[in-house]
Amino acid sequence: MNRFVRTLSERSFSLIVSLPENRFDLAKAAWESGADAIKVHLNLSHRASGTRFERYAFYENALDEICEQSPVPVGVVPGDGVGIVRETFDEWSTKSFDFVSLYLHDAPACVLNMEGMALMMACGSNYDLEEAEEFKVLGIEALEASIIPPDGYGAPLSLRDLLHYRMLVEHSGLPVVVPTQRAILPEEVRALRQVGVSALMIGSIVIGKPATPENIARATEQFRQAIDDTAFWD
């Protein structure tokens, strides 16, 4: 079984760290502080962090080292459009990533031909539940609930958000991963677990700036502790 799929299936609630920069020291700080998986980015401008991510060759040494040494699954967001993801397919799909993470509308059909790499697809703020119900048909193994409009990034988590996450859990039948588009607090992990979410993916909104190992470690440790403290929901 794929390492990422196994992590989501064996743990009742997982912690993923979305790195604000593709650096080995940041990845190491994440897994040493309790991350169950990490995610890197390529070929896009990341709205929340304000970082421009280049092609694989630009980070080759760091990404190769991360994949070789990481004790936890490593995923990649390979771009922000069907064209660039397809154009660079041979650059990233042959590497040792455990999963690929994309908005469904950014994923070319060729991602269905990959072997050994799990699919975590995201629905955006214009999602509909009928579409989410069909994710499994494409062999998708996890649903990333990136459903917050950009003008809502960094706002507090609301009950309406929780209701929407619950609806995605029920309609998709897949592990649902919630990214910190909202400024989710460690003490709100319990609420996410109550509505059936399978994992929280923390990124720059809760990690903060600058992108340092210390900030990565601090945020990861806080959420790791919160997850462990709510283990009675297992």
Side-chain angles (χ1 to χ4, degrees):
M1 181 184 292
N2 174 278
R3 281 204 305 173
F4 183 61
V5 175
R6 184 169 64 246
T7 295
L8 292 179
S9 64
E10 292 181 352
R11 293 182 178 273
S12 62
F13 198 91
S14 298
L15 177 61
I16 305 168
V17 175
S18 178
L19 298 182
E21 296 179 15
N22 294 336
R23 290 165 36 193
F24 178 79
D25 61 336
L26 301 183
K28 186 171 184 285
W31 71 59
E32 287 185 343
S33 301
D36 296 309
I38 59 176
K39 191 173 81 169
V40 300
H41 303 77
L42 300 170
N43 306 307
L44 57 84
S45 293
H46 193 260
R47 184 185 297 270
S49 68
T51 303
R52 172 65 198 175
F53 291 95
E54 307 297 338
R55 295 175 77 137
Y56 189 92
F58 191 84
Y59 313 103
E60 184 170 6
N61 291 338
L63 293 179
D64 286 351
E65 187 175 14
I66 289 170
C67 289
E68 289 171 4
Q69 298 199 30
S70 177
V72 300
V74 179
V76 61
V77 181
D80 60 358
V82 172
I84 189 63
V85 175
R86 186 171 58 185
E87 176 188 334
T88 61
F89 183 77
D90 291 339
E91 297 177 15
W92 57 267
S93 65
T94 56
K95 307 303 179 181
S96 300
F97 295 116
D98 297 283
F99 65 99
V100 61
S101 173
L102 282 165
Y103 279 104
L104 198 65
H105 59 261
D106 286 335
C110 58
V111 301
L112 298 178
N113 301 327
M114 297 184 304
E115 294 185 6
M117 204 182 301
L119 297 177
M120 179 169 75
M121 295 290 114
C123 50
S125 58
N126 62 344
Y127 78 99
D128 64 67
L129 291 175
E130 288 185 1
E131 186 176 87
E133 289 174 348
E134 302 300 327
F135 269 39
K136 279 186 174 181
V137 173
L138 295 174
I140 295 168
E141 287 136 316
L143 186 157
E144 181 180 328
S146 297
I147 60 175
I148 306 301
D151 61 3
Y153 286 11
L157 182 70
S158 72
L159 288 182
R160 190 176 188 219
D161 297 329
L162 290 171
L163 179 61
H164 287 179
Y165 297 146
R166 177 60 185 173
M167 292 166 70
L168 285 171
V169 170
E170 292 183 333
H171 283 262
S172 71
L174 291 170
V176 170
V177 177
V178 170
T180 53
Q181 296 173 308
R182 297 297 200 196
I184 295 173
L185 302 173
E187 53 264 36
E188 292 170 329
V189 164
R190 176 177 175 178
L192 293 172
R193 297 185 78 147
Q194 283 179 292
V195 298
V197 168
S198 293
L200 177 67
M201 182 163 60
I202 63 172
S204 58
I205 285 176
V206 300
I207 291 170
K209 294 182 178 180
T212 63
E214 292 75 20
N215 281 342
I216 294 282
R218 172 193 50 77
T220 306
E221 288 169 357
Q222 289 176 347
F223 282 95
R224 177 80 269 159
Q225 187 62 55
I227 291 168
D228 293 346
D229 287 345
T230 57
F232 59 85
W233 287 103
D234 293 357

